[in-house]
Amino acid sequence: QVQLVESGGGLVQAGGSLRVSCAASGRTRSSYTMGWFRQAPGKEREFVAAISWRGGSTYYADSVKGRFTISRDNAKTTVYLQMNSLKPEDTAVYYCAATVRVLTTNIGDFGSWGQGAQVTVSS
């Protein structure tokens, strides 16, 4: 099992940028696919982005494609989500997650989760 801790959330105006980070500890030698999900008030948790173990493959939800970038630094066991051109509808708690499955967007495949980081975008 791997433990995940998010950081970097906050309040930003529409059109601005923010980066959230996810630090992994524990069994970090395993080859984990990492993902970001988000949950807005009153809505279900949804997929945002995922990155393969070596970082060569990424996948994004259509709603963030072209605005968000997922990356990872395996030496630092950290995953990042750079969010640009933020919109009020991006407001949510952002969760980092890990899975031993090959690149997947299925929330049920992710077995390890962080506590979440609040991102609020004002209009």
Side-chain angles (χ1 to χ4, degrees):
Q1 196 80 348
V2 62
Q3 290 76 48
L4 305 172
V5 178
E6 299 95 337
S7 62
L11 173 65
V12 64
Q13 288 189 330
S17 298
L18 205 61
R19 188 177 80 164
V20 288
S21 303
C22 173
S25 62
R27 296 184 62 180
T28 57
R29 287 183 172 270
S30 298
S31 301
Y32 291 102
T33 290
M34 301 297 295
W36 285 98
F37 293 78
R38 66 186 181 185
Q39 188 166 18
K43 295 187 177 181
E44 293 188 352
R45 194 170 299 188
E46 64 176 4
F47 169 77
V48 175
I51 187 166
S52 61
W53 163 240
R54 296 192 182 278
S57 298
T58 56
Y59 195 81
Y60 297 92
D62 288 342
S63 59
V64 307
K65 201 171 295 182
R67 299 188 299 122
F68 291 11
T69 301
I70 187 172
S71 61
R72 67 190 298 165
D73 182 340
N74 284 344
K76 297 181 179 179
T77 60
T78 302
V79 178
Y80 306 96
L81 184 68
Q82 176 67 43
M83 302 179 287
N84 299 327
S85 301
L86 282 160
K87 305 174 181 180
E89 50 264 43
D90 293 319
T91 295
V93 176
Y94 283 72
Y95 296 91
C96 174
T99 177
V100 295
R101 300 285 295 268
V102 177
L103 192 63
T104 176
T105 65
N106 186 352
I107 191 171
D109 290 336
F110 289 82
S112 299
W113 292 84
Q115 83 288 351
Q118 177 69 48
V119 171
T120 303
V121 185
S122 62
S123 58

